[in-house]
Amino acid sequence: MMNKSVLFFIFILSFNVLIAQRAAFEKDEIYIGDQIKLILEIPENIGNDILFPAFENVIIEGIEIIESSEVEYIKSENLLRQTHIITSFEDSLFLLYPFEFKVDNKIIKTNPLRLQVSYYKPDSVLLSQIDTTGQLKIVDIKPPVEAPMTFKEFFYRFGIYIIAFLIIVILFFVLRYYYRKRKENKPVFSKPKPEIPPHVQALEQLKILKNKELHKQEVLKPFYTELSFIIRLYIENRFRIEALESVTNEIIDEFINTEFANDETVIKLRELLNLSDLVKFAKNLPNEHENELMIEYAFSFVNHTKQEEPEEPETQNQEII
């Protein structure tokens, strides 16, 4: 006896019943691995809220979904349609129960479907055309084909070495340029000329420092730190010597090459900077007289080396007779 479910499907398929919503395969018989379309359709005006049947990866066990389209509106037929591309790898007759649409919270079913999946069996005509005489011939293995290297392959293989080489070359020229500027006693990056003359700024800062009376405190490091910074900043702005980033001996060596260097000025500058270093780093404690003397050295150094300001021409008032 045939299975009741099989008889049910045969009975349903034997009638040409017009169903508003329908499901259809592209064809009813396929070979294993073939791909066909499963089309689901329903009239657009059948309800307000229409939900198509939801599948995950399979329609039923044995029939897999490869790709699913979005629901599209077919204006000419006033239909909503969704297409699933399916395949199967089982030699079997699949009987599919009706799919369920959900329309305004009601269930509407489609027609049932059948799908026959079979192994491919070549016919006798095709078998007679197959040449089997060369199946046992032994032939040499073909050598690999040499393909030209593409730019992308070349870059993947050698790109990191090219980039590293370019970085090294750029660093070499930058360091060479920097070394030459240092050797010529020229700053690598020229600083903009301050609006206030360096000596005016330095003298103002020295007056403020003196009025703070830090040189009369027990802890002298703040006083000498600020005093050293004022003089170094003045030297850097006045003579374009990198005094803020140089040690005392380097500053003295650079200053000696200026037109303002003489024995007295150099001795006072060296003593001021050396004593500042001793207080800041060696925690030396000079007496109050030495502290007063360093302030005077600073004022004297700035006044001796300051840039001469052009004299403004005097305007003479002439009486108009």
Side-chain angles (χ1 to χ4, degrees), residues 239-281:
F239 300 105
R240 295 294 185 265
I241 298 173
E242 296 181 350
L244 292 175
E245 300 176 0
S246 305
V247 297
T248 297
N249 290 337
E250 292 176 342
I251 297 172
I252 298 299
D253 292 341
E254 295 282 347
F255 176 71
I256 289 175
N257 296 322
T258 66
E259 59 179 323
F260 296 93
N262 56 45
D263 293 341
E264 181 181 358
T265 306
V266 172
I267 291 172
K268 289 182 179 181
L269 178 62
R270 188 190 302 275
E271 187 175 348
L272 187 155
L273 295 178
N274 282 334
L275 185 58
S276 298
D277 293 340
L278 290 173
V279 173
K280 288 189 294 181
F281 304 113

Side-chain angles (χ1 to χ4, degrees), residues 25-27 29-38 63-67 84-89 115 117:
F25 285 121
E26 220 173 2
K27 51 186 178 179
E29 296 183 7
I30 63 171
Y31 293 117
I32 287 178
D34 284 351
Q35 297 179 8
I36 59 171
K37 294 180 181 179
L38 169 62
I63 300 180
E64 303 176 9
I65 296 177
I66 298 175
E67 183 181 351
H84 302 278
I85 299 177
I86 60 99
T87 188
S88 178
F89 296 94
L115 179 65
V117 182

Side-chain angles (χ1 to χ4, degrees), residues 4 29 36 46 72 84 92 104 116-117 119 131 139 152 163 169 183 219-220 230 232 256 274 284 286 296 305 317:
K4 291 182 179 181
E29 296 183 7
I36 59 171
I46 198 170
E72 56 180 343
H84 302 278
S92 179
D104 297 335
Q116 176 67 55
V117 182
Y119 286 109
D131 181 14
V139 296
K152 186 176 182 180
I163 293 173
V169 171
K183 192 173 181 180
V219 180
L220 295 174
I230 293 172
R232 286 169 178 265
I256 289 175
N274 282 334
N284 190 21
E296 296 304 321
T305 59
N317 294 330

Side-chain angles (χ1 to χ4, degrees), residues 131-141:
D131 181 14
T132 59
T133 58
Q135 291 183 357
L136 298 178
K137 290 182 179 179
I138 299 175
V139 296
D140 294 334
I141 299 175

